[in-house]
Amino acid sequence: MKVLKKNDRRLKRSSVGKMIRNLFGVLAVLFIIWRLYLVFIVQNNYGPETWTRLLIAGLVIGSVYALIAIGYTLVYGILFMINFAHGEVMMLGSFAGFFVFEATNAINITAADGSVTSLTNAQPVLSIILAFLVGMTFSAMVGFFLEKIAYRPLRKAPRLIPLISAIGASFALQNAALLLFSPQTRNYTNPEFLARGAGWRIMINETAVILPYTGVLTMVLSILLMVGLLLMVKRTRLGKSMRAVAMDKDTAALMGIDVNQTISNTFIISGALAGAAGVMWGLHNGILHYFVGFLPGIKAFTAAVLGGIGNVPGAMLGGMVLGLLEAIGPAALDISFQLKDVIAFVIMIVILVFKPSGILGEVLSEEKV
Amino acid sequence: MADLIIETKRISKFFGGLTAVNEVDLQIPKGSIYSIIGPNGAGKTTLFNCISGFYVPEIGDILFLGQPIQSRSTDYIASQGISRTYQNIRLFSNLTAMENILVGQHTNLQTTWLDAIVHTPRYVRESQYSHDEAVRLLTYVGLKGLGDYLACNLPYGMQRRLEIGRALANAPKLLLLDEPTAGMNPQETVDMIKLIRMVRDELGISIILIEHDMKVVMDISDRISVLDYGTKIAEGSPKEIQANERVIEAYLGPGGAALADKYQKRRRKHA
Amino acid sequence: MNSEKYLRNSVQKGFIFSIVMIFMMMIGFHVVAANLTSKLFGVQVLRGSIPEVVFMAYVHLFFAFIFGWGASDKNRPSKQRVAQGLVTSVTTAAIISLFSLLLVFLVEAQLDIREYLTAFSADYMRYFVLNLGRPGIITLFGIYTVTGLVGTVTALFVQSDRVQQAWNRAKTSVTLFWENANSKMPAWAQKYGKYVIYGGSIIVLLILPVRWGSYLNFVTSVVGLYIIAGIGLNIMVGLSGQLMLGYAAFIAMGAYSMALLNAPTPHGIMLGFWPSLLVGVVMAMIAALILGLPIMRLRGDYLAIVTLGFGEIIRILLRSDLLVDFTGGPRGIHAIQGPTLFGRPFNSSSDFVYLIFFFIALSILIYQRLANSRTGRAWLAINEDSIAAQATGVNLRGYKLLALIIGAAFAGLVGGIAASRNAFTGPNDHSLMVSINVLSLLIVGGMNSIPGIFLGAFALRGLPEILREVETYRQLAFGVLLIVMMLVRPKGLWPSSRPIMENIDKAKVKKAKEKVKKTKRKSKDG
């Protein structure tokens, strides 16, 4: 066969839009280089200890994003829809964990030496496990019912319809939480040994950088969960049926796979992961209110797109990368920390505009994008 | 050559490793009805998609009235005067039949959104003209009085006609019909053949046709090309194609020619 | 077995009903409902206090009746339906009684869980069981069982064939009477009657703002602004099919242009209302152009999420310290001036209502003319099938971009007027919530339908303003409504209809219809 490629596809799309896109791209790159030059060469304010601190923060928040992003990616892989309410599932899981800690705090236990401690501190491991279990179960339930009520009847509808339904679900869940739990901000009461701010001290340049226990817990646990998920998708029957349904629902049904059940399972799994992320969020950040799921939700979606939506390892990678960029970005570019969220949104737009297939993603056919 | 409406010069289109269209040469004279036939998956629709600009062929040129169009956008090609219909009907199903035709007139009209907001005299004149023209076209394709039906509520045969009406609305020079009689009953097929002839004879529009119904093809085509696995294996008048061994083999498999011969002989004997 | 299945469904229904009920109790809806009921009976309740017990009983009766009504399956024989009603009612009643048992326990143990669940004040919990304490549980059980059954039986009666027939007869006789009356009217009355009605309603609209108090004027202008925004968003979403979740960003463009050019602080340009409004509209259009150019090849959900990101970026930038000197930061901009027309300043609340009325009329005019033009049809074609549209010669990117820009112009207009009307604008006026509000009014009312947009704007913005009690639940209702509308009526309450264009006389239409029927029958036979 001839290898001669005469008609370049680019000829066809040599439009103004493309030129302007490229112009935006060049300008953005120039801007970033200029800011990096300012920060690292001209000012050079921050020492390695600051960067280490930011790196740790980024990895921790990144692993939370990664867990949520897996939920987006799993659902998108199977239904080709953005589960807009996924952030709210995480928020509800976080609330469930919060209530577990409140309950264990309320129970007082008198130790053998007569001192009174709460159950949280007397049995910290137990209470943490309990919180994760309850949070994951509750979120899984929310995900299950969400799919059953708001998405399943719309599976055959045009694609915008389930999306609008998902937006509705997101708002409904958010405001339900607002009305149930009030707009007040709450704080997680961690077990004493996991107190926020406590951690190992690492000396860099004679300055202590704290590696928080909660952060380590978050990272280790999320890596364990992710490895478990990967094994499940690769090895088990459930994982195989999920992959089959993602490929082709009709054929999967012909092969005897219960498509509805598989989709339900997907929502349960992604809900459980979001619930775990919610409890981690609570343990690490401590702050909890009804709106807490919105931004992590959007950012995790960004992470999923960044890694290549529909691709599970991609979501993990995307989450980590996004967390790092978000933590280091403001300092590295010398912009205000208020604009941290802007970075995530800008990354989202840039990725969707320039490379919608993400880092690890396959090239999506037109109908999927 | 001046009397060619469209010419493809060794165009090829690949999908990954698959060669969907392989160095196909076509010369289609003005004012002819030209059929492209071939077994399923032979690359006929891909060829159409290349001509109408959905795909860019990796190799080769497409000359429309002597001008290369192979890397232009679909809407530009449409504005030059190539219209098409689709294998599975693609009407704007929630618009009325009348609106479908009005959308079809798009490239023929000049007024912009500003004209529409201000209702300039030009706009008023043009909308009156386009309305009359659309009613005329509806009558032409035999849908008089059905203009206010939603396209999706029309019966199947009428949807096919409406699709042709929409394709005719921008006064094309070349019409690409992708299986215009698919799924029709014999009566509807006869009507459709009449319509296609009428379009060529009265409006002087050249037509390229993809069709599986050999009766239709042999009946109305001036010339026929046969594609198999993306390659053109034969070209000629209907008679020549019917006698061509490679064509028969492409349809019936190797040894098919002998088989067909036997069958023909037996039929003659019975007659 | 079949009988088991339908009864199992009823039990499920009972569970759903009771969970809905318990959820409503947990967000404190019952007090509000009782409040509304008491209003209905003409009894005013002091703000923050709980109405009389009777009204709570009414609320319980009402819900029980509704649940009973919805319990049975229309297609089943009546005996099975009664059985279904009974099962559902008993299930609902049992779960609600269990729940009220919990409430009574909480009240008696004097546990205060308001820290976690805000609605659970002791008064409210006692009120829920009708202030009866333990006997209240039995009472509730009785109410839900008996009233539920009554509801089922009523539904059976109303949906029975005889009643339905009578109802249909009544309906046809009314329409017949109406048609008779119409045809007997003289020709000129038939022709001009429409215009008389239009003229009359215009006069009423002109008089009303002066008569109404400023509160109703406030409500009217909010609804009116949402109508304009709805029309603008409809051009993006309804006509050209691009789901836009960052509409508030364009509104912010208009509002901030107005504020920066027309307010004494922070810049003191004081350009005047009309030029600022124009600048706002142009700025919104430019923003749409800049946003639109790179994202034109995205569609569907990706487009939605990118525009959401854009909206959030604009909002975050507006409230950040970065632009605090330029835009006033989170505190916003105050003392924006109103317009003057022929030297007369707008100072009463009705003046703005007139202004908004004028712009609504203008928007409708522009919208109608666009929608029925070559441009509008090209948008609709893109929305229906972008590939086929392109093959008929529609330039996809150009038209999509045009839809964004024109839609954004309406947003700029809304932003400018709103900022001037409120004499204030700040970043929180342009949150994602605003975008969602406008989108939901479109979806609830019906896309591409002007009456639908009016209906949606009134239902989503007007009603909650008038019924202050339910204001708290508005956002929740938005979310639930979006889901419910998608499940039940994806085309909205007042769906659009396509214009009649061929203009042929009625006999021919009839003939054509017969032809369609015939061919349809034929193709069915074949």
Side-chain angles (χ1 to χ4, degrees), chain C residues 27 52 61 73 99 114 157 162 192 225 230 243 260 273-274 278 324 366 383 386 404 423 447 451 478 487 512 514:
Chain C
I27 60 175
E52 281 175 57
L61 285 173
D73 188 349
F99 179 66
R114 258 187 303 174
F157 175 70
R162 224 178 291 162
Y192 295 109
L225 286 172
L243 188 57
L260 295 175
F273 176 84
W274 299 102
L278 189 69
V324 75
I366 292 177
N383 192 0
S386 58
L404 281 192
M447 293 217 196
F478 275 176
L487 295 178
E514 268 160 27

Side-chain angles (χ1 to χ4, degrees), chain B residues 81-94:
Chain B
I82 299 181
S83 290
R84 68 169 294 180
T85 66
Y86 302 85
Q87 195 172 346
N88 31 9
I89 302 176
R90 296 187 89 148
L91 286 168
F92 307 122
S93 44
N94 289 320

